[in-house]
Amino acid sequence: MAVPQRQPQRTLSGSGLSQSPVHHRTISQQYLPPSPVRKSESFSEQSSDAGDVVQGRYNTIPRRGGSRLKLELANDGIEHAGFSESPQNLDLFSANKAFTPSRVMSMNDASDAGDMTPRTSRCHTVDEDLTPLPMPPRRARFVVPTKRPELSTLSTPLKKDTRPKPFVIETPSIAPRYPNMGKAEPIGKTMNKDIGGRHADFYPWNGGHAEDQFSDNIIRHGFFDKAPAQSTQEPASAKAPLFPALKHKSGLHTLSTIFTGILNQRRHSGQITSASTFKPPPRVTLTDTKREIWLKDLANPAISLRRLSRTIPHGIRGKVLLDQCLNKNVPTDRAVWLAKCVGANEIRAFKRKGVNGTFVMGGEAKWIRDWTVFVEQFVEAVASAFAENDWKSKVTYAIRLATHLYAEHLLDRDHYMDWLVSGLENTNQAKLPMWLLIIQIYWKDLLRLRRHGRRLVSAILSHHSSIYHHPDRDILLPLSTRLQSLIESVILTSPENLINPGTWFKYRDSLVEPPASNNNETGSKAFKTIDSRNDYLTSSNAKSQPALRSIVVQLLDSIHRTPLDDTIPKRLWRTSENKSFIVRTVLEWCTSLYRPGIAKVYVATMLLRSSLAFDLDITGAVLDFLDVDPLRELARKQLVYHVVSELVRSGDFSVPQYIQWLIARGGIINPVETDRDGPCITRLLVEIPTYCLNESMKNLRATLLRRACFAVEDEARDIAMAISCVKNTLSIPLGLDDPIFPKKPISVKKLSQRIELSSRTLKTTVSSWLSSDFVGEIAQNLQSGKGGIELPKAKFETIRTLLEAAQDFTMLENVVRFLMPSSNAELLACCADTVNLHLPVFAATGAAKPLFQAFYERLKCVVEEQGVGSRPLLASLTNLAPRLAGLDEVAAQLQSDLIRTDRSSAADASSPLSDNMATQLQDAETELSEQIEKLASYTSADRPTMERLFHAIIMKLQNYWGKADERQRLCCILLTRLRVFDIQHFNTLMRGWVQHIRKLTNRPPIAQLFPPLISSGCLSLAILFATAPRSQLQATQFQPSAVGSASIYMQEILQMLMMPFSPNPVMTSEDCYRIRIIQDHARREHAKEIMPLIRGALAEYSASRNQQASIPQPLDDVQTELLELLRGLVLVDPNAASQTLSLKSPDPKLAALIETWTTKLLVPHGGGGQKSFEQVLELANEFTLPFCQVKLSLNLAIDDTSGPEGSEKLQSQFELLSKAIDNAIDANNIMWTGMLPSLNPDITQHMKNRAESRFLDIIPSLKNPSGEHFSDRDIHMAENLLTVIDAIFRGGSGTKASPISSALVDKLADLWDILSSRNSEYAILKATVLSHWLPLLFSYLTLFTSPSTGAVDVSKLHGGEIRGRALIVLAGLVQELDSYPSSQLGEKALDIALALVDGLPEDARLLCVRAVKDATSDSRIRYLFSFAPNPAEDLMLAHREKPPQGIHERRALALGIGMGMIPEKLTPFLFRRWEILNEPTPNVGENDTSLSLTLFDARKIK
């Protein structure tokens, strides 16, 4: 139908333009609905010109008549525009027009079209046109009535048409109609034209139809559009055979049978039997323009896919396809259809190349992998484009499209999941929310597979931990909350993904706090369960007390070596649930004589105080320990007194409970019980600090002691006398009635010795008075402004000496805190040096870092106030900072500040020279000082000048050597000033001079020359150790040419590192204290350098004693100190000590000397000499292990193992050691296992293999079940062997990472056979396996699951197939142990399998999947081996043989009697997901579907 031409628009000002005439109709004509044809015409005119009025029906000239009142009264049949709803479409043609792209209005034309909904136009009159101004519409005066029904006749009747009309047949209303198939409905007068093609089986008679032509065949058989196939067997009518049969009783059954056969035959005759004609839509080459048009049609849902399937353009594939779908906003289902079409053609292209099946499968897999990579890149690129305006809609589309492709299995799921997890692992916090959004879509699928779920959870834990420890944690709180909710969901729904010991214990601390804040009991219980399951895979599973003791002692020793590691105490308390046992082990470690130093007392005190969090009774634990262990050695007793005194101070040890405990035991009666050497359990009452007790406790204590004839009054008098002596030494005025008023003050050294020999009660009382009553009062007076002077540095040194003698470092810490506000830089430097010397003690009390931070803040204030006068404090903090963990940047800054301060001016106060130093120097020294000051005026030192000054000062220094001349110290100060100009060159010059000193045969002792240089910083420890033999060859051989002083050089150096120094004219008290700091630093930080020095000193000692002209040996004076030094070095680094001392020497005297010293380490009060392997193993316990290790290494040392004799010696040593170990195991002695990992790797591997072989041989099997008589002994032996294996495995780097042995897997399978056996004869054996053997074997398997083993990439080790076999056996045990839920072994088997499968190679995993895929449907096994059931796989197609040809068989088949007669066979059915297409081809065929219709027994509908 033609559309009328759009008329020009009118404007209000267009008076000169020709206007269309205004039509006018009557009222009835205006408000009655017009005819459809005219309505369409009127609608088109309204749409073209909204300002025109509707034309009349006959184009008559409008009549100007009627008043406004008549027009208003005519509103009876008008619908007001404000009240009427949107009317129905009045255009009858527009309702049936096809929805084509040409009819879709673009968005750009929307503004021009306005509201397309046609509405009833309001009445327009001439009067309205004459209205000068637009007025608001008049409100209707009457209620708008409901719409009246249309009148059947018009008010003006038309002239009757009397012409004859032809007959038109009417179509019955019940006649079925054909579907339109997208064509327009016939409407109006054209309806009858196509009536023959619109209705089924209705043909109006016209005389020309084939049905109207009568013939004999049509009359007899009826009319058929298509003649039916002529049946050869049933050509005749069925009336003759059927009619007689109906007369009998069985006629109804016969008729039913016949009709059933007819229907069955009809089904078979109409069944689709043709082969599938499905082909993917072909691709054609199109121009760019046509391709764009095709893509736009694809984006239009109105265009059917069948039409688009004719011409799929080439070149749309991979990332281009995804980008085009995104840019064209193609609906998701149509985009997936296009991807399937392209993918199906690409995959079929591989099959058309005529290659073998392997290549086809590989090519198809490669194409799908590449397609998956394209999808991954597409999603990542769209998600990363945050700057685009329409980013949200694009990323939503990309994620939705990728999700649909994933859901329809059109991606390589493993690769896609791996990409998802890798993206989450490597993302930053800015993109983390986006990745979390994507991950949650595939959340359940990822957590169902171990290989992806474990990594996913680890990545989430890592991000949560980084935010948890982030300084801007509050800003990232929403993200942290989201991560926390995800973690909690994993804990509750899939805890298996958290069974990963390395990850769990790394991030566990950040998870403890959030669940604790939640009152969800289920979540808390699940968290504890996961924690215990991970702990089972890491902790030593040989749960015997010796094994736990070894672990606790090792952790305690590590605290002693690295005191600032805060994580070690937490690990210590997690070693066992038996906290009382840990407390007892801590007390044993603290009181052991094999652990030197006083820091262990404060470490033990700190740990005992932290045990209060577990509701432990510390007082009861200490008393139980004292009741069991007699503690005969005086040194051990004093350590107990010290620990108890610290606990009493803090209120953690209950003195009333202790006194009650004593009274319950009968009190104290015998005077021996209170003696110094008396029993520790009763002498403790004497040693308790009394100043902490109230009066009632003091009186009760005094009463109990008096019963044992202990003079309590004398004790009080001694304490008062000690305080008076301290006052007198500190120059504090005494009272006239004081007994020591007229006496001279006791020297500090003598007073310190007396305090050191006093009881703990006196020590703590004197220390408390010094700290609180003396220093505390001075500090309080200064702080409150009451006046007074600061504590002088000399008095602080005296107080420090007395407190160190009392070993009361708690009070020393208080003194340091009291003096912190002081502005005296030298006093603050002394306090910092105090912390530096006793750093392990202050680290144990937790005061090391806080004190350093306070000193650092004071340094800033002192620098502002005094400038370069703050150098002493700066130098002390520079030495302290590197020893504190986590302060590397601060240490570097302090070091640079110190160098800059020293270089600023040679005449500043920062120089070591005092103000009157120039007057003290003689002429030569004055000249040197002036030259150094001139050198300071240059920015860079002149090396020749520096060398000349250095040698000049050194010559002066050597002249004063051994004369106790104070000018020797002045020379050291000049060297210090010279050093700052070029430190590297100065160290080179100093190294050369020290080498020269080493060669001198006639010289004063080294202890009179080097200490001032070391204290002033001119001579470093590195230079000092460089003069000693560093290589093993030099360490083992002594130079016979060395004579005189040169032959005892290393002894003198070693003596200097051990001997104490007192103030003298050459060294001040600060220098002596600094030497003590350097000595302690050398023991702790330079153990590897000191050990060769000790060996060289022992070589000099043994060689010099054989010379005729005997020279005084320095080691004779420091025998005790050397033993303590050697003991400390062995504890710090036992491996270095073993390697150094175990080197065989050709000198038998040196070997005997080393043997004697190592025996003294092991047996302090016993004789020397060599100890056999069995003796060493007997002496081994948790505290002697490091020394037994040194002794064992010394016994196993062989000179040369390369020759045949060396190999024989090594083998004989192996045999002796193996025999000794077997005897120790049989004797239930397994204390020595801790030293095995530190032995020679070959020896360790030999011992491990031997123990493993014996352990596996004991385990029973169905072939060789253990007898009941030997069961208990075998189990006990297996536990001991497992302890040996456990010690070697967890010991460290002594052994190589080894794969699981085949024998272990066989034994595991044997136990599986025992459990699965249904023979009643094995009931007892089965119970023993469940209670002992299987737990032991699981404990052995956990050795391969520890984090230390996991640090090694086990996937690169050999034996992947054996590991796979072990996993299959464990999977079988997981299911088998479901029958024994009370044993709780099934969960442990699953946890071990989860830990082992993480390092399984991919090929071995696939083999395991093939083995268990068809055998089980257990979700735990699928999760373990990371395989998910694919619904498209394992489909089978049932084939029936050809139906029987006989008439009876066919009839029986039709009646359903012989359904079992036709055999079936099953064949695999390949389900091609890429070819599951709707509307694949433009032509509709009989069997052109993607799945052949013959598979469903489909039939055609006739």
Side-chain angles (χ1 to χ4, degrees), residues 1004-1022:
I1006 292 293
Q1008 298 179 8
L1009 176 63
F1010 284 173
L1013 294 174
I1014 295 175
S1015 175
S1016 61
C1018 298
L1019 181 59
S1020 63
L1021 289 176

Side-chain angles (χ1 to χ4, degrees), residues 879-1130:
N879 294 328
L880 175 61
R883 302 187 66 184
L884 299 175
L887 298 177
D888 297 336
E889 295 182 359
V890 177
Q893 182 64 34
L894 290 173
Q895 183 67 35
S896 61
D897 291 344
L898 180 61
I899 295 175
R900 184 172 59 254
T901 301
D902 289 343
R903 287 181 177 178
S904 60
S905 175
D908 284 341
S910 61
S911 173
L913 292 175
S914 59
D915 295 337
N916 58 350
M917 188 64 66
T919 58
Q920 299 178 14
L921 292 172
Q922 300 297 329
D923 296 339
E925 286 76 6
T926 304
E927 181 182 357
L928 290 174
S929 178
E930 293 175 354
Q931 292 183 16
I932 292 175
E933 292 176 3
K934 292 180 181 179
L935 186 63
S937 62
Y938 299 97
T939 56
S940 60
D942 184 11
R943 288 196 172 186
T945 305
M946 188 175 183
E947 293 176 2
R948 179 175 54 82
L949 292 174
F950 177 82
H951 291 297
I953 298 173
I954 286 298
M955 291 300 297
K956 293 291 183 181
L957 180 64
Q958 291 185 209
N959 292 334
Y960 304 139
W961 185 8
K963 300 178 181 179
D965 195 337
E966 63 178 1
R967 287 177 295 181
Q968 181 179 349
R969 180 171 177 269
L970 302 181
C971 293
C972 294
I973 294 174
L974 292 177
L975 288 175
T976 304
R977 295 175 58 184
L978 184 64
R979 179 178 179 269
V980 298
F981 300 115
D982 192 344
I983 298 177
Q984 185 175 2
H985 186 58
F986 182 87
N987 291 338
T988 303
L989 296 175
M990 182 61 70
R991 187 189 302 268
W993 176 70
V994 172
Q995 290 287 350
H996 168 71
I997 294 297
R998 183 182 183 279
K999 299 176 182 179
L1000 296 178
T1001 58
N1002 187 11
R1003 54 172 172 73
I1006 292 293
Q1008 298 179 8
L1009 176 63
F1010 284 173
L1013 294 174
I1014 295 175
S1015 175
S1016 61
C1018 298
L1019 181 59
S1020 63
L1021 289 176
I1023 298 176
L1024 194 65
F1025 291 130
T1027 62
R1030 304 292 296 276
S1031 64
Q1032 296 180 357
L1033 180 62
Q1034 292 176 340
T1036 56
Q1037 296 179 357
F1038 174 73
Q1039 295 80 6
S1041 57
V1043 294
S1045 299
S1047 63
I1048 59 172
Y1049 175 78
M1050 284 183 282
Q1051 295 185 61
E1052 289 183 287
I1053 296 296
L1054 188 60
Q1055 180 192 27
M1056 184 184 64
L1057 294 177
M1058 295 183 294
M1059 63 182 297
F1061 290 91
S1062 301
N1064 53 55
V1066 179
M1067 297 179 62
T1068 62
S1069 59
E1070 294 94 332
D1071 295 332
C1072 296
Y1073 206 80
R1074 200 171 294 117
I1075 284 292
R1076 291 180 60 188
I1077 296 174
I1078 295 174
Q1079 289 174 344
D1080 181 75
H1081 182 69
R1083 295 189 187 98
R1084 297 183 181 276
E1085 305 296 334
H1086 299 278
K1088 294 183 179 180
E1089 289 81 3
I1090 294 182
M1091 288 306 302
L1093 180 64
I1094 293 177
R1095 185 179 178 87
L1098 292 176
E1100 288 182 349
Y1101 184 74
S1102 62
S1104 299
R1105 292 173 63 184
N1106 298 330
Q1107 296 180 2
Q1108 296 180 355
S1110 62
I1111 302 176
Q1113 301 296 314
L1115 290 185
D1116 290 333
D1117 302 330
V1118 288
Q1119 295 282 336
T1120 305
E1121 291 81 358
L1122 177 59
L1123 188 62
E1124 291 298 319
L1125 175 63
L1126 195 57
R1127 180 175 288 112
L1129 294 176
V1130 170

